[in-house]
Amino acid sequence: MSNVVVPTTLDEALALLAADPQLSPLAGGTDFMVEVNHGARRPVRVLALRAVAELRGWRRDGDVLVIGAGCTYVSMADPAFAVAAPALAQAARTIGSPQIRNVGTIGGNLATASPAGDTLPVLMALGARVEVASTEGTRTLAVDELITGVKRTVLHPAELITSVRIPVARGPQEFCKIGTRNAMVISAAGIAVVLDREAHTVGCGLGSVTAAPVRATDAETFAAEAIDWSTLRAGAGTTERFGTLAADAATPIDDHRSTAAYRRHAIGVMARRALERCLS
Amino acid sequence: MRASTDPHGKGVTMDVTAIVNGVERTADVEPRVLLVHWLRDELGLTGTNVGCDTSSCGACTVLIDGRSAKACNLFAVQVDGSDITTIEGLAIDGELHPMQQAFHECHALQCGYCTPGMVMAAVSLIDEYPDLGDRGVRVGLEGNLCRCTGYQNIVHAVLQAAGEQERHP
């Protein structure tokens, strides 16, 4: 690696990217630098984004939460953030350790595009919109348009994720994940369930059980019809059926973290529990 | 910060200026150098240990602008303009920081290899969450491994130091 450039403005960062296709963006580095230290990633030149203030933090814009790509997990675990985006705050609190949450970012989680990225199921359940910029302009993508496979995205070399937009919570939300231990764990399976009491819809995103992010749409449709939206109650067997349908949407694999069978089972259990917690 | 030779050439170095333990340090650093190696090899601050190189063990924990981070996970050039605190920066005029004193009194170490990172993580933790309790300390130190498995006394020490801070704000 011959150079690291450290821009302080977004315009500067985009201009640098446009001029150099071999420039690799680096956010918190919690995935990137591990690969560099292992010798598994050998970047030619690095664009370190830590100093770009415009990408940091989050703000509320009416019914929408605008989260900067450089917003750290610790910022998303903030109580004020948790009021507006409970499931995303829950996911942020489970990621890594304090040292990781202090530097790791939502933009990095998206761009890394690991199936085990813990914000991804939540962003899918919320129908998040990801803003991507280059010197040519901006475009907005859904998470499943951005991420097309394991560590694969449609980002061009000159493009940078700049922000993520999600609706402010209009009902209960839950995030669950399971791994081989409690601390510093990479999820073997994860799930987010989001209820919208005004639109009468249910969002359900799955983590670590598909190559690219998916929603469990059959489970969503079933639950939206089964829930009595005025009381937030549902008839006997609703949450069990929801769990079964969510598990049906999983296409997990056997790997060093878990087995396909266990992952599918875990999704069913966690989906049921998450919906139970959302209901009265 | 500026690159001192052709930015795409070999052997390039960059000026980095950071406050390290209260003192402004400026150095020519190769872009590929990790923060932990800059601290240890260039500044001689060998208290920050390298454990795993993969951000798993927490031995290299330092404070960047007051928050704990793993120094094996950052290039030195990324902390240009930042305020860095290492284990060497905690004691003032030879008087141990309350967290160091608590680790000493509670015998919160065996081999000592994890200790600098453990202390730095704990300093950041009780600064951010003053009222942790036993469980909060255990969860809060999830990013630091002690292979001697001496966690019990580490938890005692952090709780004692948190109390110290409350009594002497």
Side-chain angles (χ1 to χ4, degrees), chain A residues 24-254:
Chain A
S24 304
L26 166 62
T30 57
D31 294 304
F32 187 104
M33 293 299 288
V34 173
E35 292 180 8
V36 167
N37 289 349
H38 267 169
R41 184 195 283 260
R42 299 189 179 278
V44 178
R45 284 176 291 278
V46 170
L47 178 75
L49 296 165
R50 200 173 165 270
V52 181
E54 294 149 275
L55 295 176
R56 288 187 204 141
W58 56 275
R59 65 187 163 84
R60 195 170 160 163
D61 182 6
D63 294 336
V64 175
L65 212 57
V66 183
I67 308 163
C71 185
T72 54
Y73 301 123
V74 72
S75 303
M76 291 189 277
D78 182 85
F81 186 94
V83 169
L88 196 50
Q90 274 179 301
R93 280 195 292 265
T94 70
I95 292 171
S97 66
Q99 295 98 321
I100 306 263
R101 295 192 287 274
N102 284 338
V103 296
T105 68
I106 192 168
N109 211 218
L110 283 162
T112 297
S114 161
D118 282 325
T119 69
L120 306 184
V122 188
L123 296 176
M124 284 297 291
L126 291 166
R129 304 293 295 171
V130 182
E131 188 172 273
V132 171
S134 71
T135 52
E136 302 292 305
T138 62
R139 58 179 178 146
T140 305
L141 300 165
V143 172
D144 54 352
E145 292 167 341
L146 173 75
I147 301 173
T148 54
V150 178
K151 300 195 175 182
R152 294 180 75 91
T153 71
V154 298
L155 288 173
H156 300 308
E159 282 183 319
L160 206 57
I161 297 170
T162 52
S163 66
V164 183
R165 290 171 172 264
I166 59 169
V168 170
R170 299 198 298 186
Q173 303 183 352
E174 281 291 335
F175 171 80
C176 302
K177 78 178 197 186
I178 191 158
T180 47
R181 60 196 285 256
N182 284 335
M184 289 281 291
V185 75
I186 293 173
S187 296
I191 189 166
V193 176
V194 171
L195 271 55
D196 186 330
R197 292 194 76 166
E198 291 177 35
H200 297 182
T201 55
V202 175
C204 178
L206 307 183
S208 300
V209 290
T210 55
V214 296
R215 294 171 72 135
T217 49
D218 289 349
E220 291 177 346
T221 308
F222 164 76
E225 287 169 6
I227 292 169
D228 177 341
W229 287 97
S230 58
T231 61
L232 271 193
R233 290 174 195 276
T238 299
T239 57
E240 287 79 2
R241 178 78 185 135
F242 180 73
T244 303
L245 290 170
D248 287 347
T251 51
I253 58 166
D254 292 335

Side-chain angles (χ1 to χ4, degrees), chain A residues 2-4 29 37-38 99 102, chain B residues 7 12 14 53 61 68 73 144:
Chain A
S2 62
N3 204 5
V4 179
N37 289 349
H38 267 169
Q99 295 98 321
N102 284 338
Chain B
V12 65
M14 300 168 84
D53 249 3
T61 301
S68 62
N73 225 322
N144 294 76

